[in-house]
Amino acid sequence: MGGAMAVRVAAAGHTLTVFNRTRAAAEAVATRCPVDVTVAGTAREAAAAADVVVVSLADDAAARATYGGSDGLVAGLAAGAVVADTSTVAPETTRALEADVRSAGGLLADTPVSGSVSSVEGGTVLVMAGGSAEAVERAAPALESFAQRIIHLGPLGSGATMKLAVNAMVFGLNQTLAEALVLAEKSGVARELAYEVIANSAVAAPFVHYKRAAFEHPESAPVAFALDLVAKDLDLATALATQVGAPVPQVELNRRIVGDAIAAGRGAEDLSALAEHLRG
């Protein structure tokens, strides 16, 4: 996801420096960009070159590690710079990181996105933004490189909160889609025809369309969203629900089913592999 964002930012004409904790990954992204970009050796070096720092990381631990330390993002942040964090993390993690960013003279906005890698590549994702109006406004030119719309939801943490709510729905749809498809198949309907019906039915959300190839041809599906990360997001959503007193029985059920698939050795597979798991 971060690599696709970088390509779009470069294509929009912004001067870009990229960093990944695995340098080879950053170099691979640089080769995909339509213009020359700089590959930084540390997060500190990357941040020092930027007015806007766009962050895309896997989880809370990766965020804390990347922001902190002598070679971390905060150590290199220029006064007045804006950090737009698109990672899916707990709202309290975002708020904790903001204190360090503010101490360096910067601004932080939590700006997670709804959509797939292909949505980023097409510039059609939705950004769910939390933070001050100034932070969101100043991050907007970079975010608009790959986003169709930015919705400012409120104070810092609002974006992270809404991303967990949206992902809870996405994972529910993924589970329902897998079950419906397997039910139709086991009843004698060809997989492709069953999916054709689903894709033209009342439940044909964008997710149903962009996951079609993965569900129809699981043997060749790239891993766009690993089940291990699905479990992480469901755990975050459950923890948030506990904090605010919101009942989420479907989230809890989906987490158990995802856990079963992970226990069966599918943690590194795409979330669409739940259909394969159900096929047995």
Side-chain angles (χ1 to χ4, degrees):
M1 184 73 81
M5 291 175 180
V7 173
R8 291 286 304 194
V9 169
H14 300 289
T15 301
L16 181 66
T17 299
V18 295
F19 167 74
N20 190 284
R21 291 172 295 164
T22 302
R23 186 179 178 90
E27 291 174 343
V29 169
T31 64
R32 290 162 46 199
C33 291
V35 296
D36 289 340
V37 304
T38 301
V39 177
T42 65
R44 176 177 183 167
E45 180 186 340
D51 297 319
V52 177
V53 182
V54 180
V55 180
S56 179
L57 294 163
D59 54 32
D60 299 61
R64 287 188 289 266
T66 301
Y67 278 70
S70 59
D71 284 327
L73 184 160
V74 172
L77 199 64
V82 178
V83 181
D85 199 324
T86 69
S87 311
T88 302
V89 297
E92 60 264 31
T93 297
T94 298
R95 288 189 282 265
L97 293 171
E98 192 268 342
D100 293 334
V101 170
R102 186 175 66 252
S103 70
L107 296 171
L108 176 64
D110 52 321
T111 56
V113 303
S114 177
S116 64
V117 172
S118 61
S119 303
V120 172
E121 292 170 341
T124 61
V125 294
L126 168 68
V127 173
M128 299 162 277
S132 69
E134 179 186 4
V136 174
E137 182 179 348
R138 289 176 55 194
L143 298 172
E144 288 168 350
S145 301
F146 50 82
Q148 186 174 46
R149 188 177 180 191
I150 300 170
I151 299 179
H152 187 193
L153 297 162
L156 197 75
S158 301
T161 295
M162 198 65 225
K163 177 60 184 288
L164 295 178
V166 168
N167 273 11
M169 288 192 289
V170 167
F171 301 146
L173 177 55
N174 183 73
Q175 178 64 34
T176 302
L177 176 55
E179 290 182 14
L181 191 61
V182 173
L183 175 62
E185 286 182 58
K186 287 186 176 290
S187 301
V189 179
R191 184 181 302 173
E192 289 78 7
L193 290 176
Y195 210 101
E196 179 69 14
V197 171
I198 293 169
N200 286 278
S201 73
V203 301
F207 177 85
V208 172
H209 291 285
Y210 67 65
K211 295 302 290 185
R212 183 166 188 163
F215 275 97
E216 289 187 349
H217 305 288
E219 70 285 348
S220 59
V223 180
F225 203 141
L227 283 169
D228 282 335
L229 290 179
V230 170
K232 180 267 295 185
D233 285 5
L234 287 170
D235 285 342
L236 290 175
T238 301
L240 179 61
T242 299
Q243 291 171 18
V244 302
V248 286
Q250 181 171 288
V251 170
E252 294 165 357
L253 175 60
N254 289 338
R255 177 61 179 89
R256 180 178 63 77
I257 296 169
V258 168
D260 291 343
I262 292 172
R266 296 189 179 275
E269 297 181 28
D270 187 67
L271 76 170
S272 60
L274 279 181
E276 284 288 87
H277 178 65
L278 294 173
R279 291 183 184 107

